[in-house]
Amino acid sequence: GADIKPFTPEKAKEIVMSLQQPAVFCNMVDDWPALHWNTKYLSAVLDGKKIQFRIGLRTLDLVPQFETRCSYVEATLEEFLAWSCGQPSCLSGPFSCYEYSKYWAYADYKYIAKLFEDKAEVFQDIKWSDFGFPGRSGRESTLWIGSEGANTPCHLDSYGCNLVLQVQGRKRWHLFPPGDTSFLYPTRIPYEESSIFSKVNIANPDLKCFPEFKNATAHVVTLSPGQVLLVPRHWWHYVESIDPVTVSVNSWIELDADHEARVEEAITRTLVCAIKSAENPSDADVWLNPTEVEATSHDINLEYLNRAVSAYFRHRKASVSEQVPPSSIGAECVTSASRKRRKRQAGPEPEGCKLLTHEADCSTVKAEEFQEIPFGPHLIQVLPQSQETSSVGARAVESDYRDLIQGNEGRHFGKLHCTRKQLVMNNDCETPANQMDSDSSPNASQTALSTNDLLDCLVNPHVISLVAQLLLERTRI
């Protein structure tokens, strides 16, 4: 019958918790009331309620449009729709300063529980129980509404894995495996807990500043209404709306590995806040993402770190006492939503592994164990761009990524200069102060290191992972 789904909740959960590459679920949400959540419907439900939109330029700048570089307006969905349709009424509204042909608008990261706090009945329009997570609904989900060109800078999430339902319009996802982290030049500036950003503008990469990006392996897919994308743990992603109006809903599924990731994030927060707060403030240096209310004090950060470490050991103790079976060691879902953008952190995953628990050793898995992966018309594999891709109607995996990673010879560097310094170090590390040039550098051929350069090394995901392991080992003793 029409109500029979291609995967049982148990099988869907097994796929979500174990699959180590992105994939698209089809025909799993046909009966979800949330499929009717287009912007006109949501505008009627919200009934004039204002929400914040992030405004960005439709440019091919070589620098990513981080949230710190965007403008913000408060507007109703009705006003947003009028603006996106070019109606004259927008000449005096909140979007009056932003010409539609030159700007995009994005109402992103809108927690449904807060947005519809007085209409709790709409939470049940989203049924993540069909994916094996009973009790998870719109209350634990986030809403995204954007115009054409609206995008999220390339980043990876420190916590959980991600399920994304496309409701209206289409979005193009550029995904990169965890093993490509070094090719994407990770940075924690702007700082936001749970988000590790890439310095590379994926839509217009600067290969002069970031030459290693050419070694990254893109997995590109266009997500259409009614499809659900699985973004596995620690996969990088750049997302762009490609239709006039898009609506999507997502939920981050928490994992066992998040307990260690929270320790890593606490270490990162402590270092970033301590070093950046000690620096003389500059109007040009907006290092805190708008989602972070303020730079927390060292005492608060240290308390946060101690709590994260304690929670990690409590979880380890509980897992041992409960004798968790091997099939569930890799991850578990909790039904409580994260307070913030709680996601995950980087760590390489071997490319050959497809359907495994997170702790599994890929080298010991026999080829026949992969035969149970149910790829087909109901679960579409998002393949690397270099491989031949399969097409199932509108669900075709995009293969035009090569056009985006061309050299940029002859192009300008945009409004901001490249922030990654090209250092030419000599063998003399003890240059006397009186031999320093007037620009305070050891010699004219060298570029002065900045605080952000130092942080790029100190809080590099691989470094922080090692520090967390050492800290947990010290605490265990």
Side-chain angles (χ1 to χ4, degrees), residues 152-300:
T152 304
C154 186
H155 67 283
L156 70 77
D157 303 328
S158 300
Y159 308 139
C161 62
N162 194 1
L163 285 175
V164 185
L165 165 67
Q166 193 62 27
V167 176
Q168 179 180 359
R170 296 169 299 156
K171 280 185 174 178
R172 183 170 291 129
W173 287 72
H174 303 253
L175 302 116
F176 301 86
D180 281 359
T181 292
S182 62
F183 304 146
L184 289 159
Y185 298 83
T187 182
R188 296 311 299 260
I189 304 297
Y191 173 74
E192 172 189 277
E193 183 187 354
S194 77
S195 292
I196 303 175
F197 293 103
S198 168
K199 287 187 174 184
V200 183
N201 183 353
I202 303 303
N204 188 34
D206 184 352
L207 295 181
K208 289 182 179 179
C209 279
F210 312 114
E212 291 300 312
F213 178 67
K214 65 179 181 296
N215 297 318
T217 303
H219 297 59
V220 186
V221 61
T222 297
L223 199 65
S224 298
Q227 297 178 339
V228 175
L229 173 67
L230 165 65
V231 181
R233 184 173 187 264
H234 292 176
W235 274 71
W236 293 84
H237 45 285
Y238 165 80
V239 191
E240 182 178 9
S241 297
I242 61 174
D243 281 330
V245 175
T246 63
V247 176
S248 53
V249 173
N250 86 295
S251 189
W252 286 287
I253 309 298
E254 297 187 4
L255 307 173
D256 275 354
D258 293 348
H259 292 280
E260 185 170 352
R262 286 192 176 89
V263 175
E264 295 172 352
E265 284 297 293
I267 295 170
T268 299
R269 174 186 284 272
T270 301
L271 290 173
V272 171
C273 288
I275 292 176
K276 293 298 291 185
S277 296
E279 188 178 41
N280 289 329
S282 167
D283 292 338
D285 182 27
V286 183
W287 63 273
L288 202 63
N289 220 39
T291 52
E292 298 288 335
V293 178
E294 61 182 357
T296 45
S297 69
H298 182 72
D299 289 343
I300 290 176

Side-chain angles (χ1 to χ4, degrees), residues 7-25:
F7 304 112
T8 64
E10 295 75 19
K11 185 61 179 178
K13 183 177 181 180
E14 178 188 346
I15 295 169
V16 169
M17 299 305 245
S18 301
L19 192 58
Q20 293 299 293
Q21 70 174 96
V24 177
F25 287 90

Side-chain angles (χ1 to χ4, degrees), residues 418-459:
C418 174
T419 57
R420 187 173 182 84
K421 309 300 181 184
Q422 303 298 320
L423 301 178
V424 182
M425 304 299 292
N426 60 23
N427 293 325
D428 182 8
C429 298
E430 299 179 354
T431 305
N434 60 3
Q435 295 180 18
M436 298 283 279
D437 292 331
S438 60
D439 64 355
S440 299
S441 61
N443 58 62
S445 66
Q446 292 181 331
T447 304
L449 287 167
S450 70
T451 302
N452 290 357
D453 291 317
L454 175 62
L455 283 172
D456 282 344
C457 298
L458 285 178
V459 295

Side-chain angles (χ1 to χ4, degrees), residues 48-168:
K49 185 173 186 177
K50 288 185 177 291
I51 57 179
Q52 187 181 73
F53 286 84
R54 178 163 59 95
I55 308 294
L57 275 167
R58 297 175 184 259
T59 66
L60 285 179
D61 199 346
L62 296 175
V63 180
Q65 287 199 56
F66 293 124
E67 292 169 62
T68 51
R69 301 182 64 209
C70 293
S71 301
Y72 294 84
V73 300
E74 298 283 332
T76 65
L77 275 184
E78 184 178 7
E79 290 169 328
F80 166 74
L81 282 172
W83 174 74
S84 64
C85 295
Q87 294 183 11
S89 59
C90 297
L91 296 177
S92 60
F95 294 100
S96 59
C97 296
Y98 305 100
E99 186 179 335
Y100 179 76
S101 62
K102 296 180 180 179
Y103 293 90
W104 49 259
Y106 210 2
D108 50 358
Y109 295 102
K110 304 305 176 191
Y111 289 103
I112 292 174
K114 182 176 181 181
L115 192 61
F116 298 100
E117 56 188 349
D118 56 342
K119 298 179 175 65
E121 63 275 6
V122 306
F123 299 160
Q124 302 311 313
D125 289 1
I126 299 166
K127 304 177 180 180
W128 296 116
S129 57
D130 286 341
F131 287 84
F133 306 106
R136 186 175 287 261
S137 64
R139 189 185 299 274
E140 296 82 21
S141 304
T142 311
L143 181 66
W144 309 68
I145 303 171
S147 66
E148 183 178 355
N151 63 81
T152 304
C154 186
H155 67 283
L156 70 77
D157 303 328
S158 300
Y159 308 139
C161 62
N162 194 1
L163 285 175
V164 185
L165 165 67
Q166 193 62 27
V167 176
Q168 179 180 359

